[in-house]
Amino acid sequence: MNDLELVERFQKGDEAAFNELVLRYKEKIYWTARRFLQDHDEADEVVQQSFLKAYKGLKTFRSDSGVFTWLYRITVNTALNVLRKQRAREFLGIDELTTETGPESDRPDEQYERREEKALVEEAIRRLPEKQRTVFILRFYDQLSYEEIADILNTSVGGLKANFFHAMRKIEEYVKRVQGP
Amino acid sequence: MSRGHDHIEQTLTDFLAGGLNDTEQNEVQTHLDSCPLCREKLASLQETIAVLERNRDSGVPEGYFGTILPRLRQRIDRPRGLGRLLDLRWPQWAAPLAAAILVAGLLTAIPLTTRETPDLAALTRELEADDLADAYFDALQTSAVPVTWPDDPINGTVAGLDLSNGVLNLILDENVLQELGTVEDLNQEEVETILRQLETRTLL
Ligand SMILES: [Zn+2]
């Protein structure tokens, strides 16, 4: 059964059809949220909130964009809201500015270097402006086409390639600057 | 004819991913064959992508994905509507917070007279926090309130020091406002901080 058929069944009161949509997309939704927030618990809450919003919204869903695109849009918006709230908390001095959790051991073994490199990548992505970060995640990690991204973000394809390019270049510069040439 | 370095550079990631059409793919390849500068950029980009790729995976607690649907169903199936509201959804500080948000809006709305003010008391009786935030923001849409949020972390930090303006912008930011709308998510300390910042703000 395709997505739209599931939606139609759900709109007629079939709760199992909604469950099927959740099962179908939960992992994709989770990973997108996780890329944005870089934290499992935060990502988990975004998954729950996104599906809750979808549950409410699907009752009146019209098929002008695909179900999946629509779900993605909800997830991206929800994740961005959490990010903004984090910044708001930092802004108000409620949270410390996000800092890297230090390595558990300072032995220069491979595992340590790997952890350090991962933290570096996350920091590079965290430093991106919101739109570049969004386009980068959807393009690089989710491997969506520019057309799909444009649909999700409700924007034109035009600027997206430049957003992606600038994001990639900033990540490259940051990683090289910290890691050395 | 080959296009310039800048254009080629912008397409290198898509080139590597095979995301270009045949014509574009050929165009980039032709340019690379004759341009050491862009070949260097390509090599550098390949290194960065390798770094990103080998750090792609993050840990997920075992069995996590199986828990998503059952927990979601629990949230969906719990009492809704009036029952939910009566179920102590509004902590005692929710109304002062909503009032503070409204006051912040009133202080900055220019011109005041062109805008209808939502009846806060009625709203708080009838609506959930989310709806209140939405209704309030709808009312704000018609007024010229500059809302900015610096994307750049450095500017953001500088702006962060300017609390009197900053907090106001923060509270009037659509998305933050929606977050504030879910007041049950805020803890007492956060609410008090916001209220304190609003109090210290002088009138225009
Ligand atoms: Zn070149």
Side-chain angles (χ1 to χ4, degrees):
Chain A
M1 201 177 302
N2 70 32
D3 289 353
L4 275 179
E5 286 166 339
L6 286 175
V7 170
E8 277 164 24
R9 290 183 75 132
F10 174 62
Q11 287 173 340
K12 286 175 191 151
D14 180 359
E15 293 283 320
F18 175 76
N19 294 351
E20 176 56 31
L21 279 173
V22 174
L23 294 176
R24 201 169 277 189
Y25 290 118
K26 62 183 180 178
E27 295 203 24
K28 279 190 166 168
I29 295 297
Y30 171 80
W31 283 113
T32 301
R34 180 74 185 260
R35 303 293 181 202
F36 269 95
L37 297 160
Q38 303 178 339
D39 174 83
H40 169 74
D41 291 334
E42 303 257 24
D44 176 54
E45 182 54 24
V46 167
V47 171
Q48 293 285 321
Q49 280 186 27
S50 300
F51 280 125
L52 279 172
K53 289 179 191 174
Y55 184 86
K56 284 187 190 173
L58 272 175
K59 304 234 156 104
T60 53
F61 178 79
R62 283 166 297 109
S63 57
D64 49 354
S65 67
V67 178
F68 178 56
T69 303
W70 181 76
L71 267 178
Y72 244 110
R73 195 180 293 156
I74 292 175
T75 308
V76 169
N77 280 330
T78 308
L80 285 177
N81 273 345
V82 173
L83 277 180
R84 286 169 182 151
K85 191 177 176 189
Q86 281 175 1
R87 275 186 301 189
R89 287 170 186 234
E90 288 169 3
F91 192 80
L92 289 166
I94 291 162
D95 282 356
E96 295 295 309
L97 279 165
T98 318
T99 47
E100 268 323 302
T101 44
E104 288 141 36
S105 140
D106 52 10
R107 277 181 302 126
D109 58 12
E110 198 183 320
Q111 223 192 351
Y112 164 66
E113 278 171 27
R114 183 55 55 89
R115 252 200 323 268
E116 198 181 44
E117 190 179 72
K118 189 165 178 57
L120 181 67
V121 167
E122 288 182 353
E123 178 62 21
I125 294 171
R126 198 154 47 227
R127 283 166 173 264
L128 295 175
E130 209 166 75
K131 189 163 184 203
Q132 287 176 19
R133 178 173 176 155
T134 304
V135 176
F136 178 77
I137 288 168
L138 296 181
R139 179 81 187 119
F140 186 82
Y141 289 116
D142 292 322
Q143 301 191 319
L144 301 180
S145 71
Y146 290 116
E147 286 73 20
E148 286 170 315
I149 298 171
D151 198 7
I152 290 164
L153 302 184
N154 221 347
T155 180
S156 64
V157 175
L160 294 178
K161 287 187 185 186
N163 287 140
F164 181 63
F165 167 69
H166 288 302
M168 192 57 114
R169 194 167 62 179
K170 280 184 192 168
I171 291 170
E172 190 169 351
E173 279 167 6
Y174 185 76
V175 169
K176 295 239 153 91
R177 182 153 55 87
V178 177
Q179 261 187 346
Chain B
M1 276 305 290
S2 170
R3 285 202 258 180
H5 304 295
D6 287 352
H7 170 75
I8 297 297
E9 193 187 352
Q10 289 210 18
T11 58
L12 286 179
T13 307
D14 290 324
F15 171 78
L16 284 174
L20 302 176
N21 65 38
D22 287 352
T23 319
E24 293 167 325
Q25 200 86 6
N26 284 334
E27 184 189 16
V28 175
Q29 187 60 59
T30 310
H31 183 97
L32 285 170
D33 288 343
S34 64
C35 180
L37 190 72
C38 284
R39 279 204 299 276
E40 210 174 291
K41 280 180 180 159
L42 184 74
S44 168
L45 183 63
Q46 278 171 316
E47 279 170 30
T48 304
I49 289 177
V51 172
L52 286 167
E53 287 293 352
R54 69 172 172 261
N55 291 287
R56 177 185 268 269
D57 291 333
S58 306
V60 177
E62 211 181 319
Y64 164 69
F65 288 112
T67 71
I68 291 178
L69 182 59
R71 285 184 297 126
L72 180 67
R73 287 309 322 189
Q74 242 173 23
R75 286 168 83 155
I76 288 172
D77 298 335
R78 75 184 179 194
R80 308 188 58 74
L82 191 62
R84 189 165 166 251
L85 263 183
L86 292 174
D87 193 21
L88 203 60
R89 300 303 294 172
W90 281 74
Q92 32 117 3
W93 39 262
L97 175 66
I101 294 171
L102 186 74
V103 168
L106 288 174
L107 291 179
T108 49
I110 307 163
L112 198 57
T113 47
T114 62
R115 200 169 49 79
E116 288 200 1
T117 311
D119 179 350
L120 191 71
L123 285 173
T124 49
R125 273 198 305 275
E126 291 167 18
L127 301 176
E128 293 188 37
D130 266 340
D131 303 320
L132 175 64
D134 284 348
Y136 178 67
F137 189 72
D138 283 347
L140 267 189
Q141 298 280 28
T142 52
S143 66
V145 180
V147 175
T148 53
W149 186 267
D151 261 332
D152 176 356
I154 294 169
N155 283 339
T157 308
V158 173
L161 299 172
D162 183 12
L163 282 179
S164 55
N165 273 331
V167 167
L168 209 67
N169 280 345
L170 170 74
I171 285 168
L172 294 176
D173 179 272
E174 174 184 7
N175 298 289
V176 175
L177 190 66
Q178 282 172 356
E179 282 304 318
L180 288 176
T182 58
V183 278
E184 62 250 65
D185 289 348
L186 295 174
N187 63 38
Q188 186 74 35
E189 189 193 1
E190 291 169 88
V191 172
E192 281 170 5
T193 307
I194 291 167
L195 290 174
R196 209 161 43 240
Q197 295 300 345
L198 284 169
E199 276 167 19
T200 58
R201 193 175 174 283
T202 48
L203 287 170
L204 292 169

